[in-house]
């Protein structure tokens, strides 16, 4: 994802934010027209009518989810067939939308703006990928531009991922967030999951914003640990995008507009995401990109797949297309010289055809994934990769404070964005690369959604699966962690993956006031997280079984360390937030008041200078 070459172009300067790389509409249009004119001569063009919606009559998707992508890349066409709902039915819906638009405005022929109201036009021209200029300035040939005023998207200079599958990021997030801001709904980079209590036969639904490669797909596709599997299960609705609206009943509803998963390949294996293993197996229709590949057997290989390096290296090539056998011996089977790119991907459909019938391709797909209204949301989670400071989970009681917490999010970035891997930086709402409107307009829309949800507003919480032992090395004695540190099985304190069900369940149980908690300056944290009898309602035997299984990976003292609040670290975070928010002096007072409350809370725990 080439963030610095991705732009939003509007007629009014009001559309300019600090993160959306704003351009003036006409100047950007002239640029991309000049780049794409004639660039596909002698190439096959694919016209792909698609629908970004889980249902043709969804109240949001039916209005804002229709589009046609024109591309000169067969790879893009094949991925769009998996990631969006495509075909003649989508073309019929587009025809109907055009007809409706003509009737509504009384025009026999629609102008450019009115056409955009009927459906999105998206053009992806790859250009000559071998000779493209990559100078990161005006002479760069990579221009990825979204035009919200006319609902037009033009991308030149890439055939990969969010730069080229224009229904996904460009339409599903960047353009959709601009549509949402104008029409009082939300388009977010969020997974959607259901958490089902089998005993009560009841499901609650959660959306979560984690940066790419930070656990969204694995969480959505998780299988809960064996000791909890008789009672709970997680169901998959979406791993990347959520379109949300407030219904007439004041409830916030969400749906996944995509038809597939475009997940990070690295570390996808049975013990991390078991419900995805079958979804990407032979016969699933999965497309793999930038992984190791055997040109004879057509096997694929990537780091973290749970298998050793192949014994026979004949016919194996790495993600650059270079033969593994041509490497020096020391580099052939070394983690320092990977076979797969860190942002290698799979594209796999949610459902597949099998002998004339349609069946789930993702085994834990929620039965309401295609419900016309979407699903009601009980909780909104924010999180990302952070090795220190953030506890495993904390609840923010005030919903405006929860929104504030999501916007000031700072995380360690991943390889999903070009050049960002391992760098700490702000990623507001994990939408930093995807904002269509200005951030101020975006926040004003979120505040409107919160207020219209009234007493049904979801619970806001922050999670952090990625605390590292290295952050505690100078506090082992004070926190009683010496033994746990010596017995650590990983660089990470929390085992994650299926165990992440516990943090999510704690948030949902807290919503129903059935948990013991400790109030801190940064929100509510569990008082007795391992007391599953109390807050999870398990029997003594069931709770002991869960504790026993959990302790195979992490000791009781280590679990307690996950909820340690470090005053010095939070004072540092306050200073970072001060600097970050100095860029947004025009934010609504209601939002800035949340920062004032955070400052006062941190001042109560700040170490004295004495």
């Amino acid at each position: 994802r080439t963030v610095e070459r991705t732009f939003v172009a509007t007629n009014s300067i009001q559309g300019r934010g600090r993160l959306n790389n704003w351009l003036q509409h006409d100047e950007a249009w002239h640029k991309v027209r000049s780049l794409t004119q004639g660039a596909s001569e002698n190439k096959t063009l694919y016209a792909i009518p698609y629908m970004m919606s889980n249902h043709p009559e969804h109240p949001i998707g039916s209005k804002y989810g229709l589009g046609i992508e024109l591309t000169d890349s067969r790879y893009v066409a094949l991925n769009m067939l998996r990631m969006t709902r495509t075909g003649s039915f989508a073309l019929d819906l587009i025809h109907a939308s055009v007809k409706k638009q003509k009737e509504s405005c009384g025009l026999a022929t629609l102008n450019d703006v009115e056409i955009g109201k009927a459906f999105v036009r998206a053009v992806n021209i790859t250009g000559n990928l071998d000779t493209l200029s990559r100078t990161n300035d005006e002479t760069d040939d990579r221009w990825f531009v979204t035009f919200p005023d006319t609902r037009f998207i033009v991308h030149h200079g890439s055939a990969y991922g969010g730069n080229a599958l224009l229904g996904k990021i460009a339409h599903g997030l960047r353009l959709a967030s601009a549509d949402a801001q104008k029409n009082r709904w939300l388009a977010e980079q969020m997974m959607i999951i259901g958490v089902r209590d089998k005993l009560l036969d009841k499901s609650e639904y959660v959306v979560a914003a984690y940066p790419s490669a930070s656990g969204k797909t694995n969480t959505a596709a998780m299988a809960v640990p064996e000791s909890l599997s008789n009672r709970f299960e997680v169901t998959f609705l979406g791993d990347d995008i959520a379109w949300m609206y407030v219904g007439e009943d004041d409830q916030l509803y969400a749906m996944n507009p995509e038809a597939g998963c475009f997940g990070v390949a690295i570390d996808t294996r049975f013990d991390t995401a078991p419900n995805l293993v079958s979804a990407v197996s032979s016969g699933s229709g999965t497309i793999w990109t930038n992984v190791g590949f055997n040109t004879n057997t057509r096997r694929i290989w990537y780091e973290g797949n749970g298998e050793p390096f192949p014994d026979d290296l004949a016919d194996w090539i790495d993600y650059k297309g270079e033969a593994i056998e041509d490497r020096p011996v020391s580099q052939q089977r070394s983690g320092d010289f990977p076979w797969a790119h860190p942002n290698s991907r799979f594209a796999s459909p949610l459902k597949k055809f099998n002998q004339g019938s349609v069946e789930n391709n993702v085994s834990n797909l929620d039965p309401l994934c295609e419900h016309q209204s979407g699903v009601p949301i009980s909780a909104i989670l924010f999180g990302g990769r952070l090795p220190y400071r953030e506890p495993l989970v904390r609840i923010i009681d005030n919903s405006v404070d929860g929104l504030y917490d999501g916007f000031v999010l700072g995380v360690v970035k991943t390889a999903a964005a070009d050049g960002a891997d391992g760098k700490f930086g702000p990623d507001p709402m994990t939408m930093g690369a995807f904002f269509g409107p200005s951030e101020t307009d975006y926040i004003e829309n979120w505040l409107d959604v919160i207020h219209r949800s009234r007493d049904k507003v979801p619970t806001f919480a922050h999670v952090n699966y990625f605390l590292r032992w290295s952050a505690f090395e100078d506090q082992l004695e004070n926190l009683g962690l010496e033994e746990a540190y010596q017995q650590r099985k990983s660089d990470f304190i929390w085992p994650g993956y299926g165990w992440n069900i516990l943090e999510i369940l704690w948030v949902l149980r807290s919503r129903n006031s059935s948990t013991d908690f400790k109030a801190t300056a940064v929100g509510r944290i569990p008082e007795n997280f391992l007391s599953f009898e109390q807050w999870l309602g398990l029997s003594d035997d069931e709770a002991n079984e869960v504790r026993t299984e959990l302790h195979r990976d992490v000791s009781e003292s280590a679990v307690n360390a996950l909820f340690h609040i470090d005053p010095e670290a939070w004072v540092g975070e306050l200073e970072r937030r001060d600097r970050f928010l100095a860029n947004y002096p025009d934010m609504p007072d209601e939002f800035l008041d949340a920062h004032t409350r955070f400052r006062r809370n941190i001042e109560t725990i700040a170490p004295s200078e004495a």
Side-chain angles (χ1 to χ4, degrees), residues 45-277:
L45 293 180
Y46 302 88
I48 310 162
Y50 67 86
M51 178 182 73
M52 290 292 288
S53 181
N54 72 331
H55 192 284
E57 297 180 12
H58 184 275
I60 301 300
S62 61
K63 295 180 182 179
Y64 303 102
L66 300 176
I68 296 178
E69 176 168 3
L70 186 69
T71 182
D72 60 4
S73 168
R74 178 173 177 267
Y75 169 81
V76 170
L78 291 172
N79 275 271
M80 285 289 288
L81 287 170
R82 287 152 177 78
M83 295 306 302
T84 67
R85 293 167 175 87
T86 64
S88 59
F89 88 96
L91 194 58
D92 291 340
L93 291 172
I94 290 169
H95 280 302
S97 182
V98 170
K99 180 180 178 181
K100 183 178 179 180
Q101 190 62 28
K102 287 180 177 179
E103 293 172 350
S104 68
C105 60
L107 296 173
T109 302
L110 298 179
N111 61 34
D112 199 36
V113 173
E114 297 298 335
I115 291 174
K117 292 179 180 178
F119 68 98
V120 170
R121 291 155 292 173
V123 178
N124 171 66
I125 303 299
T126 60
N128 189 330
L129 297 179
D130 292 328
T131 62
L132 282 174
S133 170
R134 294 177 173 85
T135 55
N136 281 329
D137 58 24
E138 289 293 315
T139 64
D140 198 309
D141 290 328
R142 299 167 300 166
W143 288 74
F144 312 129
V145 188
T146 296
F147 299 90
D149 294 340
T150 54
R151 303 187 77 231
F152 215 122
I153 301 165
V154 183
H155 283 203
H156 177 269
S158 179
Y160 184 61
N163 295 332
L165 313 182
L166 300 188
K168 182 173 176 57
I169 298 301
H171 182 168
L173 283 178
R174 199 169 289 112
L175 178 58
S177 67
D179 285 340
Q181 183 267 324
K182 297 172 185 174
N183 296 283
R184 306 180 76 192
W185 54 281
L186 299 170
E188 301 294 324
Q189 188 192 210
M190 290 180 170
M191 71 172 187
I192 314 170
I193 62 172
V195 179
R196 179 171 172 256
D197 187 322
K198 297 178 182 179
L199 179 64
L200 302 178
D201 192 23
K202 176 184 177 183
S203 290
E204 292 184 273
Y205 294 94
V206 175
V207 294
Y210 311 154
S212 294
S214 290
K216 285 202 312 298
T217 300
N218 285 347
T219 300
M222 79 163 71
V224 303
E226 183 179 354
S227 57
L228 288 163
S229 61
N230 289 333
R231 178 68 183 272
F232 301 103
E233 68 175 338
V234 170
T235 54
F236 183 107
L237 290 102
D239 69 325
D240 202 35
I241 300 178
W243 286 9
M244 298 181 284
Y245 71 98
V246 179
E248 294 181 359
D249 58 355
D250 298 338
Q251 176 68 56
L252 184 67
Y253 291 89
M255 69 91 172
N256 171 23
E258 297 188 286
C261 304
F262 189 68
V264 175
I266 302 297
D267 291 333
T268 297
R269 58 183 185 270
F270 186 79
D271 64 324
T272 63
N275 289 308
L276 275 181
V277 172

Side-chain angles (χ1 to χ4, degrees), residues 211 213-214 383-392 394 408-414 422-426 462-472 491-494 562 569-570 573 576-577:
S214 290
R385 288 181 176 269
L386 202 66
Y388 69 105
R389 194 190 69 242
E390 279 288 352
L392 181 63
R394 57 185 175 89
V408 298
L409 184 69
V411 299
V412 175
K413 303 294 185 70
T414 72
K423 299 177 181 177
F424 178 86
H462 196 120
V463 299
N464 180 21
Y465 307 154
F466 300 101
L467 280 167
R468 287 180 174 267
W469 277 111
S470 57
F472 288 84
D491 291 337
F492 297 101
I493 302 179
W494 183 244
L562 292 168
W570 281 102
E573 171 65 0
R576 184 195 69 83
R577 294 185 183 187

Side-chain angles (χ1 to χ4, degrees), residues 186 246 249-252 376-380 396-403 446-460 511:
L186 299 170
V246 179
D249 58 355
D250 298 338
Q251 176 68 56
L252 184 67
I377 299 303
S378 296
I380 298 173
I396 302 109
D397 288 317
N398 183 312
S399 55
V400 176
D401 290 353
L403 171 62
W446 255 100
L447 290 170
D448 175 65
V449 166
I450 286 173
H451 295 318
R452 285 190 287 124
S453 298
R454 304 178 193 277
D455 60 349
K456 295 182 180 179
V457 65
T459 298
F460 282 79
R511 181 176 174 83

